[in-house]
Amino acid sequence: MDAQISAAFDQFYELITPPRWKVEEGLARARTIANHMKNSGQEVAPYSFKKFRLIGSYARATAIREFSDIDIMFEFQSLTAHDFLASRPLLAGIRHLLGQSADSAIRISEMQEVVQIEYPGGLLLDILPAVKNDSQNYLIPDGFNGWRVTAPDVQKSYFSGRDAVSKIHLPEFTRGLKYWNAMHGGLVRSYHLESMVAQLGPHLGGDYAIATREAFERLSTTVKTPDPVGHQGELSAYLSSAQCEAIAALCRRSAADSLVALEAQASKDYERALTAWASVYGSRFPSNSLG
């Protein structure tokens, strides 16, 4: 990749990466909540709290500035087997226990899966309650008052493995495509997009510019992707046929714009190339000459 274009991609990835203080503050807030749960002496609907951990895009280094909430898994132990019949009492119990906090807004998410806490300054924490199922699996709310299985350790191992066999830094490249998705309406859910990119990663080569075009060409053919760890089935199931076609059309357009950028790079017309890359990735991509 030309040094000037490479510098632009580096600057772009830096601009869309959340500052380190944000996750540190999120973890500090989660630690305060955990201590409150431990010290309150109260059972939560009725579960006992065990520990918490960072999960999701921040844990996988794929979070993007302004568009990624901080996901924290709070592990609970069920006191009786019958507690597995419903998940909403656990969500409600967490909401009630934290409800006396004066400096934050606390609510159960619209999809009935997490407890959301919004702090002054815009920090948003998503607390995902989980009950240990076996050595690798956890039960988490499914949105319908039941449970589904997740395995964050297996997920972490999978994504790390795909990065290890890719020539590009896969989390960085994923952040770029997640920002592209956010700038074009956010039709593709975060985990779905991450899984698609992880599948493509080892086939994209080491040039971020060329990899961008190849990724869009491949993604334009289908958005169907099975959950790489096998728990959620087909990840595109939430999309209608019209939405799938809209995503395919968007990918075709972005692939065409990427080709324009690559042709401009080949002719050393860097100003035109940067403008074309900005039309692909959005307003954060540096569109002026970097010197």
Side-chain angles (χ1 to χ4, degrees):
M1 191 191 302
D2 292 280
Q4 197 166 8
I5 301 302
S6 178
F9 270 88
D10 289 344
Q11 184 176 335
F12 170 59
Y13 292 135
E14 181 179 354
L15 287 171
I16 64 173
T17 301
R20 180 63 194 174
W21 65 260
K22 187 172 183 180
V23 70
E24 290 175 349
E25 181 179 343
L27 288 171
R29 295 283 191 173
R31 192 170 297 110
T32 298
I33 294 170
N35 290 336
H36 176 57
M37 287 184 173
K38 289 178 179 178
N39 297 333
S40 67
Q42 299 181 44
E43 295 174 355
V44 184
Y47 296 81
S48 60
F49 172 70
K50 305 298 290 183
K51 58 185 177 181
F52 73 92
R53 62 187 293 183
L54 181 70
I55 60 168
S57 59
Y58 273 90
R60 294 190 292 270
T62 58
I64 53 174
R65 188 186 296 262
E66 300 170 7
F67 295 99
S68 297
D69 303 332
I70 300 174
D71 300 312
I72 308 288
M73 175 184 283
F74 273 60
E75 182 182 335
F76 292 85
Q77 180 177 358
S78 175
L79 302 182
T80 71
H82 297 293
D83 296 333
F84 291 124
L85 295 177
S87 59
R88 287 180 183 171
L90 179 53
L91 290 165
I94 296 171
R95 168 67 182 85
H96 176 74
L97 185 62
L98 302 179
Q100 298 182 5
S101 176
D103 69 338
S104 58
I106 304 171
R107 59 184 176 271
I108 296 174
S109 67
E110 184 177 347
M111 296 183 69
Q112 299 287 308
E113 293 176 334
V114 299
V115 176
Q116 297 178 322
I117 308 177
E118 185 173 359
Y119 296 96
L123 180 69
L124 186 60
L125 214 62
D126 282 354
I127 296 180
L128 176 68
V131 182
K132 197 70 174 286
N133 190 26
D134 57 35
S135 61
Q136 291 185 307
N137 295 332
Y138 293 82
L139 296 175
I140 60 175
D142 66 356
F144 302 97
N145 202 28
W147 305 88
R148 64 180 176 87
V149 177
T150 191
D153 291 326
V154 179
Q155 287 179 353
K156 181 179 179 179
S157 177
Y158 170 78
F159 286 105
S160 296
R162 300 300 282 184
D163 181 35
V165 296
S166 300
K167 293 181 179 179
I168 54 176
H169 184 216
L170 202 54
E172 194 168 59
F173 187 70
T174 301
R175 287 198 297 273
L177 290 190
K178 287 177 72 173
Y179 187 79
W180 163 85
N181 180 54
M183 289 295 96
H184 292 89
L187 281 177
V188 186
R189 291 179 182 173
S190 177
Y191 182 67
H192 179 194
L193 182 56
E194 287 189 43
S195 298
M196 287 194 292
V197 177
Q199 282 191 339
L200 298 179
H203 310 288
L204 295 178
D207 185 309
Y208 286 95
I210 295 174
T212 295
R213 180 171 182 251
E214 291 178 346
F216 284 129
E217 287 183 334
R218 289 172 180 260
L219 293 175
S220 69
T221 62
T222 182
V223 295
K224 289 187 176 181
T225 307
D227 180 5
V229 299
H231 294 311
Q232 298 187 47
E234 173 52 52
L235 295 178
S236 66
Y238 63 95
L239 294 168
S240 67
S241 57
Q243 288 173 319
C244 289
E245 177 50 40
I247 294 167
L250 178 59
C251 288
R252 289 193 294 269
R253 186 164 69 250
S254 294
D257 289 341
S258 298
L259 179 59
V260 171
L262 290 169
E263 290 174 342
Q265 288 174 217
S267 62
K268 307 300 181 183
D269 188 348
Y270 295 119
E271 183 175 353
R272 180 167 170 251
L274 292 172
T275 299
W277 284 125
S279 71
V280 172
Y281 276 114
S283 58
R284 287 285 175 87
F285 197 95
S287 57
N288 298 320
S289 175
L290 299 175

